[in-house]
Amino acid sequence: MSQSQSQSQSQSSSSLSSTPKSTFPIPSTLSDLESHPYDLLPYPIDFADDDEATRASSFLQLVQFVEDGNAELASGMRRHDMSMFENNGAGDHNDDRNGNRDQEGMLMSMSMSMWCNEERLQALYTLVRKSASLSFKTRSRLIAALCNSVSSLGIVLQNAAENDIIVGTGYRDALSAHLYMLYTIMVFTESHIKGNKQLNSGGGNAAGGAGAGAGAGGVSATPAKKKRNGARVELNEAQTTQVSRELCTHTMNAITEIISNAAISSHLWRSSRGVPSTDVIMLPARIAYTILESCTNVTQTKMASGKMALDMLANILFGYGRGKSGEGVRNTVVTAL
């Protein structure tokens, strides 16, 4: 091959060969996010936890930060602005592979998009990691915000496909990170429900307790009244947890349908030489497996949205399970079934 032909071929494939390596490979465990290449911290540097009230307020501020980011994403969607997923330039200078941080506490080796930057990843990591210790109201806000993020990212991809736009690494990293956070909090939720008889029964016992005490008299905090009040709290938590559980499953099912659509997925993976990230596309299959484990009877199947879990597996199988390259996908789906 002549030098001119080589240069021509190099230029024609520059959009592929110049694609930067993903800065958010799916980790094996959540705690891996504190290692390279993520190098996140357990808590943000400015996280205040002097007492329980301050700590609760700090968690709420992190949730608000995530919600504010969602508003920015929505604004960018309306303008069809993909520049928010472009590299923010971090890591181009003063690169430090030892995970050292600058004066603002940001990793000098991180290279994320302007929207899904390290500050956002740090907030999500802290919130998801400590989600079990959040108040159920704060936790429900976190889940709603995270589901909103994933849903919006799905719409961004759909719009990009409609306008024949090939999304880059910045978008794929943002999608991968938020999908992983959603997957993780769904795993935590299913584990919490399995270990909590009250939540696992759909709040039936709490409902009975609250209803039985509705007509009781007395104004003093008697043991019976305390028990009724506790039952109401448990019922509220059970209902809130179930709503969040259904929202997570619905969101995961919707994004799975989008990324498994051949007309759309080609715009997601084309800039990575058309090779899908198996770790990303298998997240829905992994959570579907966890959901199906809870479907031990008709009631539990309905509560766990078992049908949606099967829909996820079907979409992944039809979208990525064909041919020799789809052997790993087929094996995972068969295992889940």
Side-chain angles (χ1 to χ4, degrees), residues 147-160:
C147 288
N148 180 275
S149 302
V150 173
S151 297
S152 296
L153 288 169
I155 294 173
V156 168
L157 181 57
Q158 287 177 310
N159 291 340

Side-chain angles (χ1 to χ4, degrees), residues 16 50 63 71 112 115 118 241 244 304:
L16 298 180
D50 297 335
V63 173
M112 299 297 292
W115 179 72
E118 192 206 356
T241 300
S244 296

Side-chain angles (χ1 to χ4, degrees), residues 45 79 88 99 111 168 182 227 234 244 263 267 273 300 309 311:
I45 289 179
R79 301 191 308 270
N88 61 8
S111 180
L182 177 59
K227 186 175 181 179
E234 289 179 357
S244 296
H267 294 76
R273 302 181 184 274
Q300 292 301 323
D311 288 342

Side-chain angles (χ1 to χ4, degrees), residues 217-280:
V219 295
S220 61
T222 62
K225 187 173 182 178
K226 288 181 180 179
K227 186 175 181 179
R228 291 194 298 271
N229 290 339
R232 292 189 184 96
V233 172
E234 289 179 357
L235 174 60
N236 193 4
E237 180 178 0
Q239 292 173 337
T240 302
T241 300
Q242 182 60 26
V243 169
S244 296
R245 185 188 198 188
E246 293 173 359
L247 177 61
C248 286
T249 307
H250 176 81
T251 303
M252 185 64 84
N253 184 41
I255 194 65
T256 303
E257 184 175 357
I258 291 172
I259 65 175
S260 299
N261 185 311
I264 297 176
S265 63
S266 61
H267 294 76
L268 176 61
W269 306 114
R270 195 181 304 174
S271 64
S272 61
R273 302 181 184 274
V275 180
S277 170
T278 304
D279 289 341
V280 173

